[in-house]
Amino acid sequence: MTRQHFAKYQRDELIFAEGSEGDEFFIVVTGRVGLSKSVDGRQELVHQVGPGELFGEIAVISSTPRSASACALEPDTSVIAVDKGRFLYLISQHPGFAVLVMETVSRWLRKKVDDPKITSSTAQLNDRMQRTPACTVVPLEDRVWQLRTKSRSCNSYLFRGRRKTILVDAGLNAGFDALKGCLNSIEVSPDAIDTIILTHEHFDHIGAVPRFTGCRVVAAHRLTAHKIASGDDYAILRGSFGEVAADFGIEMILDEGAVIDSGDHRLRVFHTPGHTSGSISLLEERRGLLITGDLVLAGGHLGGVFGSGNISDTIYSLDTLGALRARLHLPGHGPLSTEPARDIERALVTCRQLLSDTRTIFETLSGQEGINKIILSLRDINR
C-alpha cells in the first residue's frame, strides 16, 4: 500500500477488519463509512463517519490491532489513506489537526458523536459574529482608518497618502463585500489601492487579495512570500476557512527596516516571528501607530502560535516591539489599544509563564516517547 492514496469502496465492502494490524488512518472524501465491533458473533454498528471526518487513527497512535472493522455504507465511498509517518507529521506541525484527532478520539470513547448538547466551535463563532455590524470604520488619524468586518476576516488598515493608498491585510474573500462597503463609505475605491501589505500568510489575512483588481503591488516578508508561492495551504490554513485558493503573487519583498511611504505616512517594517515565521509588524513613525498582525492583540492577548511559529520567537519579537515606544496598538483582530507598552508587557508575562508551565508539563509527562515516534516517522516520510 502506498504512503498516501485515494481508494473507492462499494456498499458493504470492507476497508479493514477488527483485530488487523494498522499503520495508516483514513479520511472520508465521499459517502459514509461504518465502524462496527463483533458482539456475540455478529457485527454491531457503533459509529459512522462522513466527508471530512477521519477514522482508523487509534491503531496508528497506539500501534495496536484495529479495535473495530470499517466498511462502506454507501456506493462509491471514497477515502484517502495516510501512513503513520505523515500522520505524526500532521500532529507535530498543525494544531488544528491535533485538536481534530483529540475530538475524534474523545467522541469515539464517549459515543456522543451526535449529542445535540454539543455546539461546534464554528457555530459558536458564527453566532458571535452575527451580533456585530457588517463593517465598522474606525478613524485613527488624518487619513488613517481601521476597517473591521464581522466575518472571520482580520482587521484591515488603510493609509491614504498623497502618493500612495496603502492597505494592510486584505482579509477573507467572504469578507470582501463588507470591506468594500467600508472603503466606499470613506470614498476609497478598492481599485484605488496602490499597495497591499500582508502581515503574514494566514488565509484570513490574504484571501481577498485577488479581488483588488487595480494596479496594486502586494508586499510581504520573504518567508510569507515563499509559502504563498509554494501553495503551502498547510501553512496558510486555507482549509480552516473553507475558501478556494487565492491565486496571486508577492511583487515586493519586505525585509527588516524597509519603509513604505505613502507621501504622508512612513511604515517601517519589523520582522516579528512567533505567530508564524514570516510575520511582520509595522510602525508608522510620524504618529507612533504600531500594527502587530496576530503577534499580540489588545489587552496583551496572544494571537496564537501556529505552524512555523514558536513561543521563544514571540518573546524575541515582543521585546523588539516594546523598545519602539508606540502610541497606539493596532492588532490583526479586535479593538485597538491606547496602551501598547502595557499590552506588550502583559503578553511577555504570558509567554514566559507558558514556557515555564510547559517545561513542567514535559518534565512530568516525559515527552521522550512522543518525540521519538516523530523522529522514527521521518524514515517513513523519506522512503
Side-chain angles (χ1 to χ4, degrees):
M1 185 171 284
T2 58
R3 292 172 292 183
Q4 179 172 313
H5 72 281
F6 286 86
K8 183 174 288 188
Y9 298 87
Q10 298 307 314
R11 185 193 300 273
D12 297 329
E13 189 174 353
L14 187 69
I15 300 172
F16 58 72
E18 181 179 356
S20 62
E21 298 297 322
D23 60 358
E24 57 191 358
F25 78 102
F26 300 83
I27 304 169
V28 181
V29 180
T30 61
R32 296 192 69 78
V33 171
L35 301 174
S36 61
K37 295 179 72 68
S38 178
V39 179
D40 297 328
R42 59 182 178 80
Q43 289 297 117
E44 181 177 310
L45 184 66
V46 294
H47 187 27
Q48 295 183 35
V49 291
E53 296 181 299
L54 57 89
F55 63 98
E57 75 290 338
I58 294 178
V60 175
I61 294 170
S62 61
S63 299
T64 57
R66 300 286 189 189
S67 59
S69 296
C71 70
L73 297 180
E74 298 178 1
D76 296 326
T77 292
S78 60
V79 301
I80 302 174
V82 185
D83 72 0
K84 185 173 184 177
R86 280 157 181 73
F87 175 82
L88 291 172
Y89 170 75
L90 287 165
I91 288 288
S92 67
Q93 289 291 304
H94 199 304
F97 181 77
V99 170
L100 174 63
V101 171
M102 288 189 287
E103 288 180 344
T104 300
V105 173
S106 175
R107 289 179 177 182
W108 168 264
L109 292 173
R110 295 174 62 186
K111 297 183 181 179
K112 287 192 175 182
V113 179
D114 299 315
D115 191 335
K117 291 183 269 187
I118 299 175
T119 304
S120 75
S121 55
T122 300
Q124 293 177 42
L125 184 59
N126 288 339
D127 179 65
R128 185 187 308 169
M129 291 186 298
Q130 291 300 322
R131 302 181 203 142
T132 61
C135 179
T136 304
V137 179
V138 182
L140 301 176
E141 298 283 339
D142 184 32
R143 299 164 75 82
V144 183
W145 299 267
Q146 180 193 60
L147 311 175
R148 297 179 60 188
T149 68
K150 72 175 181 182
S151 72
R152 296 173 69 190
S153 286
C154 64
N155 294 335
S156 296
Y157 294 95
L158 185 75
F159 295 81
R160 192 174 190 183
R162 288 169 293 170
R163 293 197 297 268
K164 289 182 180 178
T165 300
I166 301 170
L167 185 73
V168 179
D169 286 331
L172 287 167
N173 180 48
F176 177 76
D177 289 339
L179 179 60
K180 181 179 178 181
C182 280
L183 291 170
N184 288 339
S185 72
I186 53 177
E187 300 181 343
V188 175
S189 165
D191 290 344
I193 304 297
D194 299 293
T195 305
I196 299 175
I197 300 175
L198 303 177
T199 58
H200 61 290
E201 67 274 8
H202 286 163
F203 210 73
D204 56 330
H205 291 250
I206 72 171
V209 169
R211 301 290 295 277
F212 292 85
T213 56
C215 298
R216 85 291 190 271
V217 171
V218 185
H221 187 270
R222 63 181 65 251
L223 293 177
T224 290
H226 183 67
K227 291 169 192 170
I228 292 171
S230 300
D232 189 351
D233 285 350
Y234 187 59
I236 292 169
L237 302 180
R238 181 181 65 81
S240 300
F241 296 94
E243 293 195 0
V244 298
D247 186 15
F248 69 94
I250 302 299
E251 291 93 5
M252 180 188 298
I253 298 298
L254 298 178
D255 289 321
E256 177 81 19
V259 174
I260 307 295
D261 195 332
S262 75
D264 296 285
H265 318 93
R266 285 176 54 84
L267 297 173
R268 184 170 295 277
V269 176
F270 294 86
H271 180 210
T272 49
H275 181 66
T276 70
S277 62
S279 291
I280 61 171
S281 297
L282 303 163
L283 178 68
E284 201 295 306
E285 297 179 316
R286 292 169 178 159
R287 296 166 176 80
L289 310 179
L290 179 63
I291 299 174
T292 59
D294 290 357
L295 179 75
V296 57
L297 309 181
H301 302 294
L302 298 178
V305 178
F306 286 80
S308 59
N310 65 74
I311 202 69
S312 53
D313 281 354
T314 301
I315 292 173
Y316 167 84
S317 297
L318 289 169
D319 281 334
T320 298
L321 297 183
L324 299 181
R325 301 183 182 277
R327 189 172 60 83
L328 282 180
H329 173 202
L330 311 180
H333 297 271
L336 59 86
S337 169
T338 58
E339 300 184 82
R342 183 199 63 177
D343 294 345
I344 291 168
E345 186 53 41
R346 285 183 175 177
L348 281 168
V349 170
T350 299
C351 288
R352 291 173 179 137
Q353 186 62 53
L354 184 59
L355 272 182
S356 175
D357 292 346
T358 51
R359 185 182 301 115
T360 301
I361 290 169
F362 275 104
E363 286 174 351
T364 303
L365 293 178
S366 177
Q368 181 176 340
E369 278 302 307
I371 194 66
N372 285 344
K373 284 185 177 181
I374 292 170
I375 291 171
L376 287 170
S377 75
L378 294 176
R379 295 187 303 184
D380 296 329
I381 291 174
N382 289 308
R383 274 202 304 237

